[in-house]
mmCIF file of all heavy atoms in Angstrom:
data_model
loop_
_atom_site.group_PDB
_atom_site.id
_atom_site.type_symbol
_atom_site.label_atom_id
_atom_site.label_comp_id
_atom_site.label_asym_id
_atom_site.label_seq_id
_atom_site.Cartn_x
_atom_site.Cartn_y
_atom_site.Cartn_z
ATOM 1 N N LYS A 1 2.982 -5.677 4.045
ATOM 2 C CA LYS A 1 4.365 -5.204 4.132
ATOM 3 C C LYS A 1 4.352 -3.812 4.731
ATOM 4 O O LYS A 1 3.588 -2.957 4.304
ATOM 5 C CB LYS A 1 5.008 -5.161 2.731
ATOM 6 C CG LYS A 1 6.414 -4.545 2.726
ATOM 7 C CD LYS A 1 6.959 -4.422 1.327
ATOM 8 C CE LYS A 1 8.322 -3.688 1.279
ATOM 9 N NZ LYS A 1 8.825 -3.504 -0.090
ATOM 10 N N ASN A 2 5.192 -3.615 5.722
ATOM 11 C CA ASN A 2 5.295 -2.287 6.394
ATOM 12 C C ASN A 2 6.686 -1.728 6.118
ATOM 13 O O ASN A 2 7.657 -1.928 6.863
ATOM 14 C CB ASN A 2 5.042 -2.433 7.903
ATOM 15 C CG ASN A 2 4.970 -1.054 8.558
ATOM 16 O OD1 ASN A 2 4.881 -0.050 7.893
ATOM 17 N ND2 ASN A 2 5.018 -1.054 9.866
ATOM 18 N N GLY A 3 6.809 -1.021 4.996
ATOM 19 C CA GLY A 3 8.089 -0.426 4.622
ATOM 20 C C GLY A 3 8.102 1.050 4.848
ATOM 21 O O GLY A 3 7.057 1.684 5.108
ATOM 22 N N ASN A 4 9.297 1.638 4.798
ATOM 23 C CA ASN A 4 9.411 3.106 4.991
ATOM 24 C C ASN A 4 8.819 3.876 3.845
ATOM 25 O O ASN A 4 8.083 4.846 4.058
ATOM 26 C CB ASN A 4 10.868 3.488 5.215
ATOM 27 C CG ASN A 4 11.419 2.914 6.507
ATOM 28 O OD1 ASN A 4 10.735 2.840 7.486
ATOM 29 N ND2 ASN A 4 12.727 2.527 6.470
ATOM 30 N N THR A 5 9.123 3.496 2.657
ATOM 31 C CA THR A 5 8.654 4.230 1.467
ATOM 32 C C THR A 5 7.422 3.591 0.826
ATOM 33 O O THR A 5 6.780 4.231 -0.012
ATOM 34 C CB THR A 5 9.776 4.325 0.383
ATOM 35 O OG1 THR A 5 10.130 2.978 -0.033
ATOM 36 C CG2 THR A 5 11.008 5.008 0.968
ATOM 37 N N CYS A 6 7.076 2.382 1.266
ATOM 38 C CA CYS A 6 5.937 1.724 0.667
ATOM 39 C C CYS A 6 5.271 0.807 1.673
ATOM 40 O O CYS A 6 5.951 0.004 2.312
ATOM 41 C CB CYS A 6 6.407 0.938 -0.583
ATOM 42 S SG CYS A 6 5.073 0.270 -1.534
ATOM 43 N N THR A 7 3.955 0.937 1.813
ATOM 44 C CA THR A 7 3.187 0.065 2.696
ATOM 45 C C THR A 7 2.154 -0.695 1.869
ATOM 46 O O THR A 7 1.464 -0.084 1.022
ATOM 47 C CB THR A 7 2.462 0.899 3.785
ATOM 48 O OG1 THR A 7 3.346 1.854 4.318
ATOM 49 C CG2 THR A 7 1.961 -0.004 4.903
ATOM 50 N N VAL A 8 2.071 -2.001 2.054
ATOM 51 C CA VAL A 8 1.210 -2.833 1.200
ATOM 52 C C VAL A 8 0.117 -3.506 2.078
ATOM 53 O O VAL A 8 0.425 -4.043 3.134
ATOM 54 C CB VAL A 8 2.018 -3.933 0.455
ATOM 55 C CG1 VAL A 8 1.132 -4.688 -0.485
ATOM 56 C CG2 VAL A 8 3.187 -3.312 -0.288
ATOM 57 N N TYR A 9 -1.126 -3.385 1.597
ATOM 58 C CA TYR A 9 -2.262 -3.924 2.341
ATOM 59 C C TYR A 9 -3.098 -4.834 1.429
ATOM 60 O O TYR A 9 -3.078 -4.719 0.203
ATOM 61 C CB TYR A 9 -3.184 -2.801 2.817
ATOM 62 C CG TYR A 9 -2.579 -1.826 3.790
ATOM 63 C CD1 TYR A 9 -1.863 -0.715 3.312
ATOM 64 C CD2 TYR A 9 -2.718 -1.985 5.159
ATOM 65 C CE1 TYR A 9 -1.326 0.217 4.222
ATOM 66 C CE2 TYR A 9 -2.198 -1.080 6.044
ATOM 67 C CZ TYR A 9 -1.481 0.012 5.597
ATOM 68 O OH TYR A 9 -0.942 0.918 6.476
ATOM 69 N N GLN A 10 -3.865 -5.670 2.072
ATOM 70 C CA GLN A 10 -4.917 -6.426 1.372
ATOM 71 C C GLN A 10 -6.255 -5.997 1.915
ATOM 72 O O GLN A 10 -6.464 -5.941 3.125
ATOM 73 C CB GLN A 10 -4.752 -7.945 1.589
ATOM 74 C CG GLN A 10 -5.855 -8.780 0.936
ATOM 75 C CD GLN A 10 -5.746 -10.274 1.251
ATOM 76 O OE1 GLN A 10 -4.660 -10.751 1.510
ATOM 77 N NE2 GLN A 10 -6.872 -10.950 1.256
ATOM 78 N N VAL A 11 -7.173 -5.607 0.990
ATOM 79 C CA VAL A 11 -8.504 -5.128 1.411
ATOM 80 C C VAL A 11 -9.541 -5.864 0.542
ATOM 81 O O VAL A 11 -9.223 -6.445 -0.482
ATOM 82 C CB VAL A 11 -8.654 -3.635 1.289
ATOM 83 C CG1 VAL A 11 -7.662 -2.888 2.135
ATOM 84 C CG2 VAL A 11 -8.560 -3.192 -0.186
ATOM 85 N N GLN A 12 -10.787 -5.764 0.952
ATOM 86 C CA GLN A 12 -11.895 -6.312 0.186
ATOM 87 C C GLN A 12 -12.624 -5.156 -0.488
ATOM 88 O O GLN A 12 -13.053 -4.207 0.160
ATOM 89 C CB GLN A 12 -12.885 -7.057 1.092
ATOM 90 C CG GLN A 12 -12.337 -8.355 1.686
ATOM 91 C CD GLN A 12 -12.173 -9.457 0.660
ATOM 92 O OE1 GLN A 12 -11.100 -9.984 0.464
ATOM 93 N NE2 GLN A 12 -13.276 -9.797 0.012
ATOM 94 N N ILE A 13 -12.751 -5.206 -1.820
ATOM 95 C CA ILE A 13 -13.510 -4.268 -2.562
ATOM 96 C C ILE A 13 -14.474 -5.037 -3.466
ATOM 97 O O ILE A 13 -14.014 -5.883 -4.279
ATOM 98 C CB ILE A 13 -12.632 -3.327 -3.429
ATOM 99 C CG1 ILE A 13 -11.687 -2.527 -2.511
ATOM 100 C CG2 ILE A 13 -13.477 -2.414 -4.270
ATOM 101 C CD1 ILE A 13 -10.702 -1.630 -3.281
ATOM 102 N N ASN A 14 -15.768 -4.840 -3.315
ATOM 103 C CA ASN A 14 -16.746 -5.637 -4.026
ATOM 104 C C ASN A 14 -16.571 -7.141 -3.748
ATOM 105 O O ASN A 14 -16.678 -7.998 -4.668
ATOM 106 C CB ASN A 14 -16.682 -5.370 -5.529
ATOM 107 C CG ASN A 14 -17.197 -4.048 -5.942
ATOM 108 O OD1 ASN A 14 -18.151 -3.528 -5.337
ATOM 109 N ND2 ASN A 14 -16.604 -3.442 -6.952
ATOM 110 N N ASP A 15 -16.312 -7.470 -2.489
ATOM 111 C CA ASP A 15 -16.096 -8.863 -2.061
ATOM 112 C C ASP A 15 -14.988 -9.555 -2.792
ATOM 113 O O ASP A 15 -14.953 -10.780 -2.896
ATOM 114 C CB ASP A 15 -17.413 -9.655 -2.260
ATOM 115 C CG ASP A 15 -18.538 -9.113 -1.395
ATOM 116 O OD1 ASP A 15 -18.282 -8.683 -0.267
ATOM 117 O OD2 ASP A 15 -19.706 -9.146 -1.875
ATOM 118 N N GLU A 16 -14.044 -8.765 -3.318
ATOM 119 C CA GLU A 16 -12.885 -9.342 -3.988
ATOM 120 C C GLU A 16 -11.629 -8.846 -3.340
ATOM 121 O O GLU A 16 -11.487 -7.661 -3.028
ATOM 122 C CB GLU A 16 -12.883 -8.894 -5.486
ATOM 123 C CG GLU A 16 -11.720 -9.487 -6.263
ATOM 124 C CD GLU A 16 -11.722 -9.045 -7.734
ATOM 125 O OE1 GLU A 16 -12.681 -8.381 -8.141
ATOM 126 O OE2 GLU A 16 -10.755 -9.375 -8.429
ATOM 127 N N PRO A 17 -10.664 -9.722 -3.071
ATOM 128 C CA PRO A 17 -9.396 -9.274 -2.424
ATOM 129 C C PRO A 17 -8.598 -8.409 -3.392
ATOM 130 O O PRO A 17 -8.364 -8.793 -4.562
ATOM 131 C CB PRO A 17 -8.664 -10.578 -2.094
ATOM 132 C CG PRO A 17 -9.217 -11.569 -3.055
ATOM 133 C CD PRO A 17 -10.629 -11.197 -3.315
ATOM 134 N N MET A 18 -8.181 -7.254 -2.939
ATOM 135 C CA MET A 18 -7.351 -6.362 -3.703
ATOM 136 C C MET A 18 -6.079 -6.019 -2.918
ATOM 137 O O MET A 18 -6.099 -6.021 -1.675
ATOM 138 C CB MET A 18 -8.090 -5.040 -4.004
ATOM 139 C CG MET A 18 -9.342 -5.201 -4.868
ATOM 140 S SD MET A 18 -8.940 -5.420 -6.621
ATOM 141 C CE MET A 18 -10.586 -5.441 -7.355
ATOM 142 N N VAL A 19 -5.043 -5.728 -3.602
ATOM 143 C CA VAL A 19 -3.779 -5.276 -2.971
ATOM 144 C C VAL A 19 -3.656 -3.771 -3.152
ATOM 145 O O VAL A 19 -3.828 -3.238 -4.267
ATOM 146 C CB VAL A 19 -2.566 -5.997 -3.589
ATOM 147 C CG1 VAL A 19 -1.262 -5.357 -3.094
ATOM 148 C CG2 VAL A 19 -2.585 -7.453 -3.249
ATOM 149 N N ILE A 20 -3.421 -3.081 -2.050
ATOM 150 C CA ILE A 20 -3.208 -1.605 -2.085
ATOM 151 C C ILE A 20 -1.742 -1.364 -1.754
ATOM 152 O O ILE A 20 -1.263 -1.745 -0.678
ATOM 153 C CB ILE A 20 -4.092 -0.916 -1.037
ATOM 154 C CG1 ILE A 20 -5.533 -1.391 -1.098
ATOM 155 C CG2 ILE A 20 -4.006 0.627 -1.244
ATOM 156 C CD1 ILE A 20 -6.222 -1.172 -2.418
ATOM 157 N N LYS A 21 -1.077 -0.730 -2.658
ATOM 158 C CA LYS A 21 0.317 -0.350 -2.439
ATOM 159 C C LYS A 21 0.366 1.155 -2.212
ATOM 160 O O LYS A 21 0.083 1.929 -3.140
ATOM 161 C CB LYS A 21 1.174 -0.750 -3.629
ATOM 162 C CG LYS A 21 2.665 -0.817 -3.351
ATOM 163 C CD LYS A 21 3.397 -1.408 -4.522
ATOM 164 C CE LYS A 21 4.891 -1.580 -4.235
ATOM 165 N NZ LYS A 21 5.630 -2.210 -5.321
ATOM 166 N N ARG A 22 0.643 1.571 -0.994
ATOM 167 C CA ARG A 22 0.665 3.014 -0.671
ATOM 168 C C ARG A 22 2.135 3.476 -0.715
ATOM 169 O O ARG A 22 2.966 3.016 0.045
ATOM 170 C CB ARG A 22 0.078 3.295 0.692
ATOM 171 C CG ARG A 22 0.018 4.763 1.037
ATOM 172 C CD ARG A 22 -0.700 5.030 2.335
ATOM 173 N NE ARG A 22 0.046 4.470 3.469
ATOM 174 C CZ ARG A 22 -0.490 4.358 4.705
ATOM 175 N NH1 ARG A 22 -1.735 4.699 4.935
ATOM 176 N NH2 ARG A 22 0.221 3.843 5.676
ATOM 177 N N TYR A 23 2.393 4.424 -1.618
ATOM 178 C CA TYR A 23 3.747 4.983 -1.744
ATOM 179 C C TYR A 23 3.813 6.211 -0.831
ATOM 180 O O TYR A 23 3.165 7.214 -1.058
ATOM 181 C CB TYR A 23 4.015 5.369 -3.180
ATOM 182 C CG TYR A 23 4.092 4.207 -4.131
ATOM 183 C CD1 TYR A 23 2.923 3.652 -4.690
ATOM 184 C CD2 TYR A 23 5.295 3.658 -4.532
ATOM 185 C CE1 TYR A 23 2.980 2.574 -5.540
ATOM 186 C CE2 TYR A 23 5.362 2.575 -5.397
ATOM 187 C CZ TYR A 23 4.196 2.041 -5.915
ATOM 188 O OH TYR A 23 4.243 0.991 -6.766
ATOM 189 N N ASN A 24 4.622 6.087 0.243
ATOM 190 C CA ASN A 24 4.733 7.165 1.203
ATOM 191 C C ASN A 24 5.756 8.203 0.761
ATOM 192 O O ASN A 24 6.695 7.883 0.003
ATOM 193 C CB ASN A 24 5.149 6.569 2.565
ATOM 194 C CG ASN A 24 4.187 5.493 3.025
ATOM 195 O OD1 ASN A 24 2.984 5.657 2.926
ATOM 196 N ND2 ASN A 24 4.747 4.384 3.519
ATOM 197 N N PRO A 25 5.626 9.444 1.255
ATOM 198 C CA PRO A 25 6.603 10.483 0.860
ATOM 199 C C PRO A 25 8.005 10.085 1.289
ATOM 200 O O PRO A 25 8.235 9.649 2.425
ATOM 201 C CB PRO A 25 6.129 11.711 1.625
ATOM 202 C CG PRO A 25 4.696 11.409 1.984
ATOM 203 C CD PRO A 25 4.617 9.939 2.158
ATOM 204 N N ARG A 26 8.957 10.300 0.413
ATOM 205 C CA ARG A 26 10.362 10.066 0.770
ATOM 206 C C ARG A 26 10.995 11.335 1.291
ATOM 207 O O ARG A 26 10.568 12.447 0.898
ATOM 208 C CB ARG A 26 11.120 9.524 -0.449
ATOM 209 C CG ARG A 26 10.633 8.177 -0.954
ATOM 210 C CD ARG A 26 11.603 7.500 -1.854
ATOM 211 N NE ARG A 26 11.608 8.082 -3.211
ATOM 212 C CZ ARG A 26 12.329 7.592 -4.213
ATOM 213 N NH1 ARG A 26 13.099 6.521 -4.016
ATOM 214 N NH2 ARG A 26 12.285 8.150 -5.391
ATOM 215 N N LYS A 27 11.974 11.180 2.110
ATOM 216 C CA LYS A 27 12.565 12.339 2.753
ATOM 217 C C LYS A 27 13.587 13.009 1.810
ATOM 218 O O LYS A 27 14.132 12.401 0.897
ATOM 219 C CB LYS A 27 13.257 11.923 4.054
ATOM 220 C CG LYS A 27 12.313 11.387 5.123
ATOM 221 C CD LYS A 27 13.050 10.972 6.354
ATOM 222 C CE LYS A 27 12.104 10.415 7.416
ATOM 223 N NZ LYS A 27 12.822 10.002 8.650
ATOM 224 N N GLY A 28 13.785 14.309 2.115
ATOM 225 C CA GLY A 28 14.857 15.056 1.420
ATOM 226 C C GLY A 28 14.606 15.293 -0.050
ATOM 227 O O GLY A 28 13.475 15.395 -0.492
ATOM 228 N N LEU A 29 15.709 15.317 -0.778
ATOM 229 C CA LEU A 29 15.646 15.665 -2.217
ATOM 230 C C LEU A 29 14.872 14.659 -3.029
ATOM 231 O O LEU A 29 14.149 15.003 -3.963
ATOM 232 C CB LEU A 29 17.088 15.780 -2.756
ATOM 233 C CG LEU A 29 17.219 16.169 -4.255
ATOM 234 C CD1 LEU A 29 16.607 17.536 -4.486
ATOM 235 C CD2 LEU A 29 18.693 16.174 -4.665
#
């Protein structure tokens, strides 16, 4: 998922699929 405030990836860690949810900085207040 490629969102403005959140980007979601699937990666391999220890040969196991993991989901990484990156919370991006929101603008303004």
Side-chain angles (χ1 to χ4, degrees):
K1 175 185 176 183
N2 187 13
N4 293 325
T5 61
C6 188
T7 315
V8 185
Y9 298 87
Q10 177 184 333
V11 300
Q12 292 288 123
I13 299 178
N14 288 326
D15 297 324
E16 181 181 354
M18 297 282 184
V19 171
I20 313 299
K21 197 171 185 179
R22 183 174 66 192
Y23 294 82
N24 304 316
R26 296 196 284 184
K27 296 179 180 179
L29 182 59

